[in-house]
Amino acid sequence: MDLLLADVRLATMETGGEPYGHARASAIGFAEGRIAWIGEAAHAPAASRRLECHGRWLTPGLIDCHTHLVYAGNRAREFEMRLEGATYEAIAQAGGGILSTVRATRAASEEELVAQALPRISRLAAEGVTVVEVKSGYGLDLEGEMKLLRAARALERLVPVTVRATLLALHATPPEFAGRVDAYVDFVCDEMIPAVAKAGLADAVDAFCEHIAFTRAQVERAFRAARAHGLRVKLHAEQLSNQGGAALAAAHEALSADHLEFVDDAGVAAMARAGTVAVLLPGAFLYLRETQLPPVALLRQHGVPIAIASDNNPGTSPYSSLLLMVNLACTAFRLTPEEALAGVTRHAARALGMERTHGTLALGKQADAVLWEIGHPSELAYSFGTHRPVAIFRRGAEVAA
Ligand SMILES: [Zn+2]
């Protein structure tokens, strides 16, 4: 073995046993980037390196399964104007809103996008995040979307994080298609999805199904195009109103349906049948001062896996902390600490189609793990700003925390 962690407490996040998947073992071994052995330290096979952990807790690497963290500029001035009492119309006239981010992102080079996203993804990595999903959606033309997806992939070479890239062309209608939404959807289906799939730049296709964005019928066309090109789908669904998006996502075997504040019984039942993960985003809920809570009890009742993500984006959730979301999932959405931690490990892996290789500490999985100075895993949810990792391991090697 390459590395043995001894005198460690394992929150494996595997199901069927103790809370947090607490394993009755005091050591874990990594070999060739994978988890190769779990057992008692006294019986451990030989390892090139041995790390004494003094009873600290080891969790799986954290997974942020929903972000928009590659973009140019920010919307701090818009935030300020709104708090000073400006109306949405005044902000739009001053050039604010999502299209201001589109303008800035289109004007930025790929290198500039990487440089501006780097502090955000580095903050996530420093708190133990080892997988980050990044959505496009601020280019909204072929070159802009591909530039953003290339920038997302490039981040992987700069931080010790695995990046999953998602094409979100149906995020908003670009100005050149104003008033011609169906023509834009045609362009996305006929040109953008095939080109991005051919270039291997995206792992999935997402869309924003909402009365202020795209209809079910428009989203369905994009889903068909995505699946025809071998790409899985995800959906921003039921954030501001019930559009039947969750059921549509489930009908297309979506990896996840995200937000879900307004999802109904039929939508949740469809997700349960399809195995679609519910990704809850407490950052956006709080930032927008929403009052409609996602139906957590209904999701539990139907056995729908619940993931938690940062939704890092410049307009509605400019937060570069997944641990803050773990806390908010408990305080705002009333998840238990164990559910919240499963939401950023086991269920987040599933929301990205990575459940066979990531998300729990189990034999054969990629050795992504985080060592914490805590007395119990609930401490990770209980407070915020208190804990930072003692050590972070990615593919079996210790990386700079
Ligand atoms: Zn989002």
Short mmCIF file of all heavy atoms in Angstrom, two decimals, residues 66-68 135 168 171 206 236 258-259 281 311 313 316, ligand 1:
data_model
loop_
_atom_site.label_atom_id
_atom_site.label_comp_id
_atom_site.label_asym_id
_atom_site.label_seq_id
_atom_site.Cartn_x
_atom_site.Cartn_y
_atom_site.Cartn_z
N HIS A 66 -23.50 21.21 -7.87
CA HIS A 66 -24.26 22.21 -8.64
C HIS A 66 -23.60 23.57 -8.43
O HIS A 66 -23.76 24.19 -7.37
CB HIS A 66 -25.72 22.22 -8.16
CG HIS A 66 -26.61 23.20 -8.88
ND1 HIS A 66 -27.92 22.91 -9.19
CD2 HIS A 66 -26.42 24.46 -9.34
CE1 HIS A 66 -28.48 23.94 -9.80
NE2 HIS A 66 -27.57 24.91 -9.90
N THR A 67 -22.81 24.01 -9.42
CA THR A 67 -22.25 25.37 -9.36
C THR A 67 -22.27 25.99 -10.75
O THR A 67 -22.39 25.30 -11.76
CB THR A 67 -20.79 25.43 -8.86
OG1 THR A 67 -19.88 25.24 -9.96
CG2 THR A 67 -20.48 24.42 -7.78
N HIS A 68 -22.17 27.33 -10.74
CA HIS A 68 -22.00 28.11 -11.98
C HIS A 68 -20.76 28.97 -11.74
O HIS A 68 -20.81 30.19 -11.91
CB HIS A 68 -23.19 29.02 -12.22
CG HIS A 68 -24.55 28.38 -12.15
ND1 HIS A 68 -25.37 28.26 -13.25
CD2 HIS A 68 -25.24 27.82 -11.12
CE1 HIS A 68 -26.52 27.68 -12.89
NE2 HIS A 68 -26.46 27.40 -11.60
N LYS A 135 -21.39 24.49 -14.38
CA LYS A 135 -22.31 24.65 -15.50
C LYS A 135 -21.90 25.82 -16.37
O LYS A 135 -21.39 26.82 -15.86
CB LYS A 135 -23.73 24.91 -14.99
CG LYS A 135 -24.27 23.79 -14.10
CD LYS A 135 -25.64 24.16 -13.55
CE LYS A 135 -26.02 23.26 -12.37
NZ LYS A 135 -26.15 21.84 -12.72
N LEU A 168 -25.28 24.24 -19.95
CA LEU A 168 -26.55 24.87 -19.54
C LEU A 168 -26.89 25.99 -20.53
O LEU A 168 -27.02 27.15 -20.17
CB LEU A 168 -26.44 25.38 -18.10
CG LEU A 168 -27.63 26.14 -17.50
CD1 LEU A 168 -28.90 25.31 -17.48
CD2 LEU A 168 -27.30 26.65 -16.10
N HIS A 171 -30.21 28.46 -20.18
CA HIS A 171 -30.17 29.18 -18.91
C HIS A 171 -30.99 30.46 -19.05
O HIS A 171 -31.79 30.80 -18.19
CB HIS A 171 -28.70 29.50 -18.59
CG HIS A 171 -28.43 29.99 -17.20
ND1 HIS A 171 -27.28 30.62 -16.85
CD2 HIS A 171 -29.17 29.92 -16.07
CE1 HIS A 171 -27.32 30.93 -15.56
NE2 HIS A 171 -28.46 30.51 -15.06
N ASP A 206 -28.04 20.52 -18.90
CA ASP A 206 -28.97 21.04 -17.90
C ASP A 206 -29.84 22.11 -18.58
O ASP A 206 -29.52 22.56 -19.69
CB ASP A 206 -28.15 21.66 -16.75
CG ASP A 206 -28.96 21.92 -15.48
OD1 ASP A 206 -30.20 21.87 -15.53
OD2 ASP A 206 -28.32 22.18 -14.43
N HIS A 236 -32.93 22.47 -13.63
CA HIS A 236 -33.36 23.46 -12.63
C HIS A 236 -34.90 23.43 -12.67
O HIS A 236 -35.50 23.88 -13.64
CB HIS A 236 -32.89 24.86 -13.02
CG HIS A 236 -31.42 25.10 -12.83
ND1 HIS A 236 -30.45 24.47 -13.56
CD2 HIS A 236 -30.76 25.92 -11.97
CE1 HIS A 236 -29.25 24.90 -13.17
NE2 HIS A 236 -29.41 25.78 -12.21
N ASP A 258 -33.08 19.97 -9.58
CA ASP A 258 -32.44 20.84 -8.60
C ASP A 258 -33.32 22.04 -8.24
O ASP A 258 -34.05 22.54 -9.09
CB ASP A 258 -31.11 21.35 -9.17
CG ASP A 258 -30.14 20.22 -9.57
OD1 ASP A 258 -30.62 19.15 -10.00
OD2 ASP A 258 -28.93 20.41 -9.45
N HIS A 259 -33.23 22.47 -7.00
CA HIS A 259 -34.03 23.53 -6.35
C HIS A 259 -35.27 22.91 -5.70
O HIS A 259 -35.28 22.70 -4.52
CB HIS A 259 -34.43 24.67 -7.31
CG HIS A 259 -33.30 25.58 -7.66
ND1 HIS A 259 -32.74 26.43 -6.76
CD2 HIS A 259 -32.63 25.76 -8.83
CE1 HIS A 259 -31.76 27.11 -7.34
NE2 HIS A 259 -31.67 26.71 -8.60
N LEU A 281 -30.73 23.62 -2.71
CA LEU A 281 -29.77 24.72 -2.81
C LEU A 281 -30.13 25.83 -1.82
O LEU A 281 -30.74 26.84 -2.18
CB LEU A 281 -29.76 25.23 -4.26
CG LEU A 281 -29.47 24.13 -5.30
CD1 LEU A 281 -29.81 24.59 -6.71
CD2 LEU A 281 -28.01 23.69 -5.22
N ASP A 311 -24.54 26.01 -5.42
CA ASP A 311 -25.15 26.82 -6.50
C ASP A 311 -24.32 28.08 -6.75
O ASP A 311 -24.86 29.10 -7.18
CB ASP A 311 -26.61 27.18 -6.15
CG ASP A 311 -27.40 27.70 -7.35
OD1 ASP A 311 -26.94 27.52 -8.49
OD2 ASP A 311 -28.47 28.30 -7.14
N ASN A 313 -22.96 31.15 -7.86
CA ASN A 313 -23.23 31.94 -9.07
C ASN A 313 -23.30 33.41 -8.67
O ASN A 313 -23.51 33.73 -7.50
CB ASN A 313 -24.53 31.45 -9.75
CG ASN A 313 -25.78 31.97 -9.07
OD1 ASN A 313 -26.15 33.13 -9.21
ND2 ASN A 313 -26.44 31.11 -8.29
N THR A 316 -27.51 34.84 -7.58
CA THR A 316 -28.43 34.36 -6.54
C THR A 316 -27.80 33.50 -5.45
O THR A 316 -28.50 33.08 -4.52
CB THR A 316 -29.59 33.54 -7.16
OG1 THR A 316 -29.05 32.37 -7.78
CG2 THR A 316 -30.35 34.34 -8.20
ZN ZN B 1 -28.16 26.73 -10.67
#
